[in-house]
Amino acid sequence: MPEQITPLSVLYLQLHGAGTAVCVVLCLYLLLCRGKAIAPDITPPARLRRWAAALFGVMALAHIWWILFYTYSDDTRSVIHGLLVAIDCMALPPVFVGTLLNMLQDRRRPLWPIFIVMTPCAVIAVLQTALPDIDLTTPNMIYGLVLAVAFIIYTVVAVRQYGRWLRDNYADLEHKEVWLSLTLLIGLMLLLMSYEYTDNYVMSTIAHLTGFPLAGLLLWRVETLPQLDEATEHEDDIQPEAETISEPLPVSDALSHIGQLLAKYCEDTQLYQKPDLTLTRLAQTIGTNRTYLGAYFASQDTSYYAYIHDLRIRYFVARYRELAAAHEPIVAQQLAQESGYHSYSTFSTAFKQRMQKSVAAWMREEVLT
């Protein structure tokens, strides 16, 4: 970085200090604040909240130790510089990856591989100080770029799998929101790479400016992502009412029996109107398990997601026509909520997929008939 003081360097230092302060505030907020400023009615995963706090905390520390380094020393061949780069390699990527993977709420994905793949970066950074005549910076940067691209590809696959899992287990979630995790990944990855691979105030200033909306997006994602564990505090709201299917039953008989149980305990009772109904809760209610229930939907060439939406859309259509025949006022949002939808946008998307037209267009045609 240039040594002379310029307006751009002053702006950079101001943004650097502001970024540090924001990271500290968000870290303390996520760790210490019991209430939530965003979406107080949603219970996000506690693990995700802690990982995001750790990410903000490590980023704040990185801001501090690098500004101190460049204030008192600018020797990129020094031992201190090598140690700081090594600490960056072993601290930032793990909490960064841990935060993003916790957005997928899959605890089966281990974090130890990230420590293994980042170890060469840390070793090369330290070796550079011991071997100043050999340029190890370029291979280290190339290795980091390969890791970044590989992780983006891996996360794209993981997010696609996560989206399919959501559709198989939850009928009333905004599945498009999972891709915000990928947007956040790419944005933060570019931000970290701009810090690592640029050495001028212009690019660093742009990186700082980009960091503020990304921090806001991460906070919003942490606070609005619902806890999707199978066992939740609402599990007791739905009690099993049907007899449990015994394991000795042949699979074909068990699946046929499930169809009867669904008609009796879900369709006839309008259980599908519960917005928080999941595949596991539905299976418990009719007296079977999620494996049998999932197999039944597969045998019918459908899915839990499609089954629940079909029932809700049919209820909406029948209820709309009933109110229209009685010349009563109709509010689509209220009727969608009555049908079992917590989100009107989810209802609108499901309605258009099944009716091949928007809600408004369908309602206009109903008025004309």
Side-chain angles (χ1 to χ4, degrees):
M1 291 185 180
E3 298 180 355
Q4 67 273 19
I5 298 177
T6 64
L8 187 57
S9 65
V10 172
L11 174 61
Y12 168 79
L13 291 174
Q14 291 175 338
L15 291 174
H16 193 94
T20 305
V22 168
C23 287
V24 170
V25 169
L26 293 181
C27 175
L28 295 176
Y29 166 73
L30 291 173
L31 286 177
L32 304 177
C33 185
R34 295 185 178 180
K36 296 194 292 86
I38 307 173
D41 58 327
I42 295 177
T43 302
R47 284 170 57 90
L48 175 59
R49 196 174 180 91
R50 290 192 295 267
W51 273 101
L55 176 59
F56 284 125
V58 172
M59 291 181 66
L61 291 174
H63 276 73
I64 294 172
W65 64 55
W66 279 116
I67 199 63
L68 290 176
F69 172 80
Y70 282 111
T71 299
Y72 296 102
S73 174
D74 199 18
D75 185 6
T76 58
R77 299 285 184 171
S78 66
V79 176
I80 295 178
H81 182 270
L83 290 176
L84 290 179
V85 172
I87 293 173
D88 265 358
C89 292
M90 302 307 294
L92 273 172
V95 294
F96 172 72
V97 172
T99 301
L100 290 170
L101 292 185
N102 269 274
M103 289 182 183
L104 303 181
Q105 301 192 43
D106 186 350
R107 300 182 184 182
R108 293 175 298 176
R109 290 185 172 89
L111 284 178
W112 59 263
I114 191 64
F115 289 99
I116 294 178
V117 299
M118 291 307 302
T119 298
C121 291
V123 172
I124 292 174
V126 175
L127 285 177
Q128 182 66 83
T129 64
L131 304 171
D133 296 332
I134 303 178
D135 183 17
L136 299 177
T137 304
T138 301
N140 207 11
M141 293 174 64
I142 294 175
Y143 182 72
L145 286 172
V146 171
L147 289 181
V149 173
F151 184 63
I152 289 177
I153 294 174
Y154 170 80
T155 307
V156 170
V157 175
V159 167
R160 287 176 62 86
Q161 293 174 341
Y162 179 57
R164 288 195 294 269
W165 177 77
L166 283 178
R167 292 175 66 90
D168 290 340
N169 291 272
Y170 298 88
D172 194 36
L173 288 177
E174 291 286 346
H175 304 303
K176 63 184 180 183
E177 290 183 359
V178 301
W179 291 99
L180 286 175
S181 300
L182 184 61
T183 302
L184 192 60
L185 161 68
I186 296 175
L188 288 174
M189 189 74 74
L190 293 175
L191 179 63
L192 293 176
M193 290 171 59
S194 65
Y195 279 123
E196 181 68 24
Y197 301 127
T198 61
D199 59 354
N200 62 79
Y201 282 128
V202 175
M203 293 303 299
S204 297
T205 299
I206 294 175
H208 275 298
L209 290 172
T210 307
F212 292 110
L214 285 175
L217 177 59
L218 176 57
L219 178 64
W220 178 85
R221 192 74 185 111
V222 170
E223 299 241 309
T224 58
L225 183 67
Q227 174 71 42
L228 298 181
D229 287 346
E230 294 300 340
T232 68
E233 61 182 356
H234 302 293
E235 197 79 8
D236 295 334
D237 293 345
I238 304 176
Q239 298 294 337
E241 300 175 26
E243 64 279 7
T244 302
I245 295 178
S246 57
E247 293 298 331
L249 274 178
V251 174
S252 58
D253 293 343
L255 297 184
S256 175
H257 191 42
I258 285 176
Q260 300 171 14
L261 294 175
L262 285 173
K264 181 178 180 181
Y265 293 102
C266 180
E267 298 170 22
D268 293 347
T269 62
Q270 297 180 335
L271 180 66
Y272 54 84
Q273 291 180 318
K274 290 183 176 292
D276 59 350
L277 183 65
T278 65
L279 177 65
T280 298
R281 293 175 188 171
L282 178 59
Q284 290 176 343
T285 301
I286 68 174
T288 184
N289 58 60
R290 66 191 309 275
T291 302
Y292 269 127
L293 186 55
Y296 168 78
F297 287 136
S299 70
Q300 301 298 309
D301 196 25
T302 186
S303 65
Y304 163 78
Y305 177 84
Y307 171 75
I308 294 297
H309 281 303
D310 286 341
L311 291 176
R312 290 175 176 176
I313 297 302
R314 288 208 300 265
Y315 177 87
F316 177 92
V317 171
R319 183 63 175 150
Y320 177 92
R321 289 171 176 169
E322 178 184 338
L323 293 174
H327 302 287
E328 296 184 16
I330 302 174
V331 179
Q333 288 81 355
Q334 294 179 357
L335 193 53
Q337 187 175 14
E338 180 182 332
S339 303
Y341 287 98
H342 177 73
S343 167
Y344 184 78
S345 60
T346 302
F347 159 73
S348 179
T349 301
F351 187 94
K352 190 171 184 179
Q353 289 174 346
R354 283 149 183 80
M355 305 299 288
Q356 304 301 314
K357 62 191 68 174
S358 67
V359 180
W362 179 86
M363 292 175 66
R364 285 195 298 269
E365 292 182 4
E366 286 294 307
V367 172
L368 297 176
T369 57

PDB file of all heavy atoms in Angstrom, residues 110-140:
ATOM      1  N   PRO A 110     -18.531 -32.806   8.145  1.00  0.00           N
ATOM      2  CA  PRO A 110     -17.462 -32.483   9.095  1.00  0.00           C
ATOM      3  C   PRO A 110     -16.687 -31.238   8.666  1.00  0.00           C
ATOM      4  O   PRO A 110     -16.680 -30.867   7.481  1.00  0.00           O
ATOM      5  CB  PRO A 110     -16.570 -33.720   9.043  1.00  0.00           C
ATOM      6  CG  PRO A 110     -16.740 -34.234   7.637  1.00  0.00           C
ATOM      7  CD  PRO A 110     -18.179 -33.946   7.278  1.00  0.00           C
ATOM      8  N   LEU A 111     -16.042 -30.604   9.620  1.00  0.00           N
ATOM      9  CA  LEU A 111     -15.244 -29.411   9.339  1.00  0.00           C
ATOM     10  C   LEU A 111     -13.746 -29.701   9.291  1.00  0.00           C
ATOM     11  O   LEU A 111     -12.970 -28.859   8.839  1.00  0.00           O
ATOM     12  CB  LEU A 111     -15.507 -28.342  10.402  1.00  0.00           C
ATOM     13  CG  LEU A 111     -16.823 -27.586  10.288  1.00  0.00           C
ATOM     14  CD1 LEU A 111     -16.972 -26.600  11.432  1.00  0.00           C
ATOM     15  CD2 LEU A 111     -16.906 -26.844   8.957  1.00  0.00           C
ATOM     16  N   TRP A 112     -13.341 -30.902   9.757  1.00  0.00           N
ATOM     17  CA  TRP A 112     -11.906 -31.175   9.783  1.00  0.00           C
ATOM     18  C   TRP A 112     -11.241 -31.107   8.407  1.00  0.00           C
ATOM     19  O   TRP A 112     -10.061 -30.742   8.308  1.00  0.00           O
ATOM     20  CB  TRP A 112     -11.626 -32.519  10.456  1.00  0.00           C
ATOM     21  CG  TRP A 112     -12.276 -33.709   9.829  1.00  0.00           C
ATOM     22  CD1 TRP A 112     -13.437 -34.307  10.210  1.00  0.00           C
ATOM     23  CD2 TRP A 112     -11.790 -34.458   8.706  1.00  0.00           C
ATOM     24  NE1 TRP A 112     -13.726 -35.389   9.401  1.00  0.00           N
ATOM     25  CE2 TRP A 112     -12.725 -35.508   8.473  1.00  0.00           C
ATOM     26  CE3 TRP A 112     -10.668 -34.370   7.886  1.00  0.00           C
ATOM     27  CZ2 TRP A 112     -12.568 -36.423   7.443  1.00  0.00           C
ATOM     28  CZ3 TRP A 112     -10.512 -35.280   6.858  1.00  0.00           C
ATOM     29  CH2 TRP A 112     -11.456 -36.297   6.640  1.00  0.00           C
ATOM     30  N   PRO A 113     -11.930 -31.417   7.287  1.00  0.00           N
ATOM     31  CA  PRO A 113     -11.226 -31.303   5.996  1.00  0.00           C
ATOM     32  C   PRO A 113     -10.743 -29.894   5.693  1.00  0.00           C
ATOM     33  O   PRO A 113      -9.715 -29.732   5.023  1.00  0.00           O
ATOM     34  CB  PRO A 113     -12.282 -31.763   4.981  1.00  0.00           C
ATOM     35  CG  PRO A 113     -13.182 -32.667   5.749  1.00  0.00           C
ATOM     36  CD  PRO A 113     -13.261 -32.038   7.107  1.00  0.00           C
ATOM     37  N   ILE A 114     -11.474 -28.874   6.167  1.00  0.00           N
ATOM     38  CA  ILE A 114     -11.054 -27.512   5.859  1.00  0.00           C
ATOM     39  C   ILE A 114      -9.730 -27.184   6.537  1.00  0.00           C
ATOM     40  O   ILE A 114      -8.892 -26.457   5.988  1.00  0.00           O
ATOM     41  CB  ILE A 114     -12.149 -26.490   6.265  1.00  0.00           C
ATOM     42  CG1 ILE A 114     -11.821 -25.107   5.699  1.00  0.00           C
ATOM     43  CG2 ILE A 114     -12.290 -26.407   7.772  1.00  0.00           C
ATOM     44  CD1 ILE A 114     -11.825 -25.035   4.219  1.00  0.00           C
ATOM     45  N   PHE A 115      -9.495 -27.723   7.725  1.00  0.00           N
ATOM     46  CA  PHE A 115      -8.212 -27.508   8.393  1.00  0.00           C
ATOM     47  C   PHE A 115      -7.082 -28.183   7.612  1.00  0.00           C
ATOM     48  O   PHE A 115      -5.974 -27.636   7.503  1.00  0.00           O
ATOM     49  CB  PHE A 115      -8.257 -28.046   9.824  1.00  0.00           C
ATOM     50  CG  PHE A 115      -9.113 -27.231  10.752  1.00  0.00           C
ATOM     51  CD1 PHE A 115     -10.409 -27.633  11.046  1.00  0.00           C
ATOM     52  CD2 PHE A 115      -8.632 -26.061  11.323  1.00  0.00           C
ATOM     53  CE1 PHE A 115     -11.199 -26.885  11.903  1.00  0.00           C
ATOM     54  CE2 PHE A 115      -9.418 -25.310  12.172  1.00  0.00           C
ATOM     55  CZ  PHE A 115     -10.710 -25.715  12.458  1.00  0.00           C
ATOM     56  N   ILE A 116      -7.373 -29.359   7.059  1.00  0.00           N
ATOM     57  CA  ILE A 116      -6.347 -30.084   6.310  1.00  0.00           C
ATOM     58  C   ILE A 116      -5.977 -29.342   5.027  1.00  0.00           C
ATOM     59  O   ILE A 116      -4.794 -29.155   4.716  1.00  0.00           O
ATOM     60  CB  ILE A 116      -6.833 -31.512   5.993  1.00  0.00           C
ATOM     61  CG1 ILE A 116      -6.986 -32.315   7.287  1.00  0.00           C
ATOM     62  CG2 ILE A 116      -5.872 -32.208   5.034  1.00  0.00           C
ATOM     63  CD1 ILE A 116      -7.508 -33.722   7.077  1.00  0.00           C
ATOM     64  N   VAL A 117      -6.988 -28.887   4.280  1.00  0.00           N
ATOM     65  CA  VAL A 117      -6.695 -28.242   2.999  1.00  0.00           C
ATOM     66  C   VAL A 117      -6.100 -26.853   3.181  1.00  0.00           C
ATOM     67  O   VAL A 117      -5.432 -26.335   2.273  1.00  0.00           O
ATOM     68  CB  VAL A 117      -7.963 -28.155   2.124  1.00  0.00           C
ATOM     69  CG1 VAL A 117      -8.497 -29.535   1.818  1.00  0.00           C
ATOM     70  CG2 VAL A 117      -9.038 -27.302   2.777  1.00  0.00           C
ATOM     71  N   MET A 118      -6.328 -26.221   4.346  1.00  0.00           N
ATOM     72  CA  MET A 118      -5.754 -24.898   4.582  1.00  0.00           C
ATOM     73  C   MET A 118      -4.356 -24.962   5.193  1.00  0.00           C
ATOM     74  O   MET A 118      -3.631 -23.970   5.192  1.00  0.00           O
ATOM     75  CB  MET A 118      -6.667 -24.083   5.504  1.00  0.00           C
ATOM     76  CG  MET A 118      -7.976 -23.675   4.885  1.00  0.00           C
ATOM     77  SD  MET A 118      -7.796 -22.804   3.297  1.00  0.00           S
ATOM     78  CE  MET A 118      -6.775 -21.398   3.757  1.00  0.00           C
ATOM     79  N   THR A 119      -3.957 -26.108   5.700  1.00  0.00           N
ATOM     80  CA  THR A 119      -2.628 -26.237   6.314  1.00  0.00           C
ATOM     81  C   THR A 119      -1.501 -25.895   5.345  1.00  0.00           C
ATOM     82  O   THR A 119      -0.549 -25.195   5.725  1.00  0.00           O
ATOM     83  CB  THR A 119      -2.444 -27.652   6.888  1.00  0.00           C
ATOM     84  OG1 THR A 119      -3.420 -27.872   7.902  1.00  0.00           O
ATOM     85  CG2 THR A 119      -1.055 -27.816   7.483  1.00  0.00           C
ATOM     86  N   PRO A 120      -1.541 -26.354   4.069  1.00  0.00           N
ATOM     87  CA  PRO A 120      -0.470 -25.962   3.151  1.00  0.00           C
ATOM     88  C   PRO A 120      -0.322 -24.447   2.997  1.00  0.00           C
ATOM     89  O   PRO A 120       0.792 -23.946   2.880  1.00  0.00           O
ATOM     90  CB  PRO A 120      -0.885 -26.613   1.828  1.00  0.00           C
ATOM     91  CG  PRO A 120      -1.709 -27.785   2.231  1.00  0.00           C
ATOM     92  CD  PRO A 120      -2.454 -27.335   3.447  1.00  0.00           C
ATOM     93  N   CYS A 121      -1.443 -23.714   2.992  1.00  0.00           N
ATOM     94  CA  CYS A 121      -1.361 -22.263   2.893  1.00  0.00           C
ATOM     95  C   CYS A 121      -0.603 -21.669   4.076  1.00  0.00           C
ATOM     96  O   CYS A 121       0.232 -20.776   3.916  1.00  0.00           O
ATOM     97  CB  CYS A 121      -2.768 -21.657   2.812  1.00  0.00           C
ATOM     98  SG  CYS A 121      -3.647 -22.002   1.286  1.00  0.00           S
ATOM     99  N   ALA A 122      -0.919 -22.161   5.268  1.00  0.00           N
ATOM    100  CA  ALA A 122      -0.250 -21.660   6.465  1.00  0.00           C
ATOM    101  C   ALA A 122       1.228 -22.022   6.449  1.00  0.00           C
ATOM    102  O   ALA A 122       2.094 -21.188   6.791  1.00  0.00           O
ATOM    103  CB  ALA A 122      -0.932 -22.224   7.710  1.00  0.00           C
ATOM    104  N   VAL A 123       1.551 -23.247   6.030  1.00  0.00           N
ATOM    105  CA  VAL A 123       2.956 -23.680   5.989  1.00  0.00           C
ATOM    106  C   VAL A 123       3.743 -22.870   4.975  1.00  0.00           C
ATOM    107  O   VAL A 123       4.872 -22.428   5.244  1.00  0.00           O
ATOM    108  CB  VAL A 123       3.029 -25.187   5.664  1.00  0.00           C
ATOM    109  CG1 VAL A 123       4.473 -25.624   5.431  1.00  0.00           C
ATOM    110  CG2 VAL A 123       2.408 -25.999   6.790  1.00  0.00           C
ATOM    111  N   ILE A 124       3.159 -22.650   3.802  1.00  0.00           N
ATOM    112  CA  ILE A 124       3.845 -21.866   2.774  1.00  0.00           C
ATOM    113  C   ILE A 124       4.083 -20.436   3.242  1.00  0.00           C
ATOM    114  O   ILE A 124       5.142 -19.844   2.985  1.00  0.00           O
ATOM    115  CB  ILE A 124       3.038 -21.876   1.462  1.00  0.00           C
ATOM    116  CG1 ILE A 124       3.039 -23.284   0.856  1.00  0.00           C
ATOM    117  CG2 ILE A 124       3.594 -20.879   0.469  1.00  0.00           C
ATOM    118  CD1 ILE A 124       2.161 -23.431  -0.367  1.00  0.00           C
ATOM    119  N   ALA A 125       3.110 -19.851   3.944  1.00  0.00           N
ATOM    120  CA  ALA A 125       3.273 -18.487   4.447  1.00  0.00           C
ATOM    121  C   ALA A 125       4.441 -18.397   5.424  1.00  0.00           C
ATOM    122  O   ALA A 125       5.210 -17.427   5.410  1.00  0.00           O
ATOM    123  CB  ALA A 125       1.985 -18.027   5.123  1.00  0.00           C
ATOM    124  N   VAL A 126       4.590 -19.394   6.274  1.00  0.00           N
ATOM    125  CA  VAL A 126       5.704 -19.397   7.226  1.00  0.00           C
ATOM    126  C   VAL A 126       7.027 -19.654   6.513  1.00  0.00           C
ATOM    127  O   VAL A 126       8.057 -19.023   6.813  1.00  0.00           O
ATOM    128  CB  VAL A 126       5.458 -20.453   8.327  1.00  0.00           C
ATOM    129  CG1 VAL A 126       6.675 -20.553   9.250  1.00  0.00           C
ATOM    130  CG2 VAL A 126       4.213 -20.100   9.130  1.00  0.00           C
ATOM    131  N   LEU A 127       7.015 -20.582   5.547  1.00  0.00           N
ATOM    132  CA  LEU A 127       8.241 -20.864   4.797  1.00  0.00           C
ATOM    133  C   LEU A 127       8.725 -19.653   4.014  1.00  0.00           C
ATOM    134  O   LEU A 127       9.936 -19.475   3.816  1.00  0.00           O
ATOM    135  CB  LEU A 127       7.998 -22.036   3.835  1.00  0.00           C
ATOM    136  CG  LEU A 127       7.931 -23.433   4.444  1.00  0.00           C
ATOM    137  CD1 LEU A 127       7.611 -24.459   3.365  1.00  0.00           C
ATOM    138  CD2 LEU A 127       9.238 -23.782   5.147  1.00  0.00           C
ATOM    139  N   GLN A 128       7.796 -18.826   3.555  1.00  0.00           N
ATOM    140  CA  GLN A 128       8.183 -17.638   2.801  1.00  0.00           C
ATOM    141  C   GLN A 128       9.095 -16.728   3.616  1.00  0.00           C
ATOM    142  O   GLN A 128      10.013 -16.100   3.080  1.00  0.00           O
ATOM    143  CB  GLN A 128       6.946 -16.869   2.356  1.00  0.00           C
ATOM    144  CG  GLN A 128       7.241 -15.634   1.509  1.00  0.00           C
ATOM    145  CD  GLN A 128       7.847 -15.994   0.152  1.00  0.00           C
ATOM    146  OE1 GLN A 128       7.139 -16.322  -0.769  1.00  0.00           O
ATOM    147  NE2 GLN A 128       9.168 -15.926   0.031  1.00  0.00           N
ATOM    148  N   THR A 129       8.848 -16.653   4.914  1.00  0.00           N
ATOM    149  CA  THR A 129       9.705 -15.822   5.773  1.00  0.00           C
ATOM    150  C   THR A 129      11.075 -16.450   5.968  1.00  0.00           C
ATOM    151  O   THR A 129      12.071 -15.741   6.135  1.00  0.00           O
ATOM    152  CB  THR A 129       9.039 -15.613   7.145  1.00  0.00           C
ATOM    153  OG1 THR A 129       8.918 -16.890   7.808  1.00  0.00           O
ATOM    154  CG2 THR A 129       7.659 -15.019   6.990  1.00  0.00           C
ATOM    155  N   ALA A 130      11.124 -17.778   5.937  1.00  0.00           N
ATOM    156  CA  ALA A 130      12.408 -18.457   6.108  1.00  0.00           C
ATOM    157  C   ALA A 130      13.197 -18.521   4.805  1.00  0.00           C
ATOM    158  O   ALA A 130      14.425 -18.658   4.826  1.00  0.00           O
ATOM    159  CB  ALA A 130      12.184 -19.869   6.641  1.00  0.00           C
ATOM    160  N   LEU A 131      12.488 -18.440   3.684  1.00  0.00           N
ATOM    161  CA  LEU A 131      13.135 -18.494   2.365  1.00  0.00           C
ATOM    162  C   LEU A 131      12.766 -17.245   1.575  1.00  0.00           C
ATOM    163  O   LEU A 131      12.017 -17.310   0.589  1.00  0.00           O
ATOM    164  CB  LEU A 131      12.707 -19.752   1.617  1.00  0.00           C
ATOM    165  CG  LEU A 131      12.943 -21.091   2.337  1.00  0.00           C
ATOM    166  CD1 LEU A 131      12.280 -22.221   1.577  1.00  0.00           C
ATOM    167  CD2 LEU A 131      14.438 -21.352   2.501  1.00  0.00           C
ATOM    168  N   PRO A 132      13.277 -16.084   1.966  1.00  0.00           N
ATOM    169  CA  PRO A 132      12.860 -14.830   1.308  1.00  0.00           C
ATOM    170  C   PRO A 132      13.287 -14.733  -0.146  1.00  0.00           C
ATOM    171  O   PRO A 132      12.701 -13.961  -0.921  1.00  0.00           O
ATOM    172  CB  PRO A 132      13.552 -13.758   2.154  1.00  0.00           C
ATOM    173  CG  PRO A 132      14.721 -14.459   2.773  1.00  0.00           C
ATOM    174  CD  PRO A 132      14.290 -15.861   3.002  1.00  0.00           C
ATOM    175  N   ASP A 133      14.299 -15.507  -0.560  1.00  0.00           N
ATOM    176  CA  ASP A 133      14.768 -15.414  -1.943  1.00  0.00           C
ATOM    177  C   ASP A 133      13.896 -16.208  -2.914  1.00  0.00           C
ATOM    178  O   ASP A 133      14.041 -16.072  -4.124  1.00  0.00           O
ATOM    179  CB  ASP A 133      16.215 -15.925  -2.026  1.00  0.00           C
ATOM    180  CG  ASP A 133      17.179 -15.055  -1.217  1.00  0.00           C
ATOM    181  OD1 ASP A 133      16.879 -13.856  -1.064  1.00  0.00           O
ATOM    182  OD2 ASP A 133      18.201 -15.582  -0.741  1.00  0.00           O
ATOM    183  N   ILE A 134      13.049 -17.041  -2.381  1.00  0.00           N
ATOM    184  CA  ILE A 134      12.170 -17.855  -3.228  1.00  0.00           C
ATOM    185  C   ILE A 134      10.749 -17.304  -3.146  1.00  0.00           C
ATOM    186  O   ILE A 134      10.214 -17.102  -2.063  1.00  0.00           O
ATOM    187  CB  ILE A 134      12.179 -19.334  -2.775  1.00  0.00           C
ATOM    188  CG1 ILE A 134      13.607 -19.887  -2.793  1.00  0.00           C
ATOM    189  CG2 ILE A 134      11.258 -20.168  -3.656  1.00  0.00           C
ATOM    190  CD1 ILE A 134      13.707 -21.309  -2.307  1.00  0.00           C
ATOM    191  N   ASP A 135      10.143 -17.041  -4.306  1.00  0.00           N
ATOM    192  CA  ASP A 135       8.779 -16.499  -4.336  1.00  0.00           C
ATOM    193  C   ASP A 135       7.770 -17.631  -4.184  1.00  0.00           C
ATOM    194  O   ASP A 135       7.523 -18.397  -5.119  1.00  0.00           O
ATOM    195  CB  ASP A 135       8.537 -15.750  -5.644  1.00  0.00           C
ATOM    196  CG  ASP A 135       7.156 -15.112  -5.690  1.00  0.00           C
ATOM    197  OD1 ASP A 135       6.539 -14.982  -4.610  1.00  0.00           O
ATOM    198  OD2 ASP A 135       6.699 -14.761  -6.792  1.00  0.00           O
ATOM    199  N   LEU A 136       7.214 -17.733  -2.992  1.00  0.00           N
ATOM    200  CA  LEU A 136       6.181 -18.725  -2.724  1.00  0.00           C
ATOM    201  C   LEU A 136       4.781 -18.121  -2.714  1.00  0.00           C
ATOM    202  O   LEU A 136       3.794 -18.840  -2.513  1.00  0.00           O
ATOM    203  CB  LEU A 136       6.447 -19.407  -1.375  1.00  0.00           C
ATOM    204  CG  LEU A 136       7.771 -20.170  -1.255  1.00  0.00           C
ATOM    205  CD1 LEU A 136       7.939 -20.722   0.158  1.00  0.00           C
ATOM    206  CD2 LEU A 136       7.848 -21.281  -2.275  1.00  0.00           C
ATOM    207  N   THR A 137       4.697 -16.801  -2.919  1.00  0.00           N
ATOM    208  CA  THR A 137       3.399 -16.131  -2.867  1.00  0.00           C
ATOM    209  C   THR A 137       2.491 -16.573  -4.009  1.00  0.00           C
ATOM    210  O   THR A 137       1.304 -16.852  -3.814  1.00  0.00           O
ATOM    211  CB  THR A 137       3.577 -14.609  -2.910  1.00  0.00           C
ATOM    212  OG1 THR A 137       4.426 -14.194  -1.851  1.00  0.00           O
ATOM    213  CG2 THR A 137       2.232 -13.908  -2.783  1.00  0.00           C
ATOM    214  N   THR A 138       3.054 -16.641  -5.215  1.00  0.00           N
ATOM    215  CA  THR A 138       2.245 -17.007  -6.387  1.00  0.00           C
ATOM    216  C   THR A 138       1.637 -18.405  -6.274  1.00  0.00           C
ATOM    217  O   THR A 138       0.420 -18.562  -6.462  1.00  0.00           O
ATOM    218  CB  THR A 138       3.077 -16.893  -7.669  1.00  0.00           C
ATOM    219  OG1 THR A 138       3.552 -15.548  -7.810  1.00  0.00           O
ATOM    220  CG2 THR A 138       2.243 -17.268  -8.886  1.00  0.00           C
ATOM    221  N   PRO A 139       2.411 -19.450  -5.960  1.00  0.00           N
ATOM    222  CA  PRO A 139       1.774 -20.772  -5.802  1.00  0.00           C
ATOM    223  C   PRO A 139       0.753 -20.808  -4.678  1.00  0.00           C
ATOM    224  O   PRO A 139      -0.250 -21.525  -4.769  1.00  0.00           O
ATOM    225  CB  PRO A 139       2.957 -21.706  -5.512  1.00  0.00           C
ATOM    226  CG  PRO A 139       4.079 -20.824  -5.111  1.00  0.00           C
ATOM    227  CD  PRO A 139       3.876 -19.542  -5.814  1.00  0.00           C
ATOM    228  N   ASN A 140       0.996 -20.032  -3.625  1.00  0.00           N
ATOM    229  CA  ASN A 140       0.037 -19.984  -2.525  1.00  0.00           C
ATOM    230  C   ASN A 140      -1.283 -19.358  -2.978  1.00  0.00           C
ATOM    231  O   ASN A 140      -2.370 -19.825  -2.624  1.00  0.00           O
ATOM    232  CB  ASN A 140       0.618 -19.204  -1.358  1.00  0.00           C
ATOM    233  CG  ASN A 140       0.039 -19.648  -0.020  1.00  0.00           C
ATOM    234  OD1 ASN A 140      -0.644 -20.653   0.064  1.00  0.00           O
ATOM    235  ND2 ASN A 140       0.312 -18.905   1.020  1.00  0.00           N
TER     236      ASN A 140
END
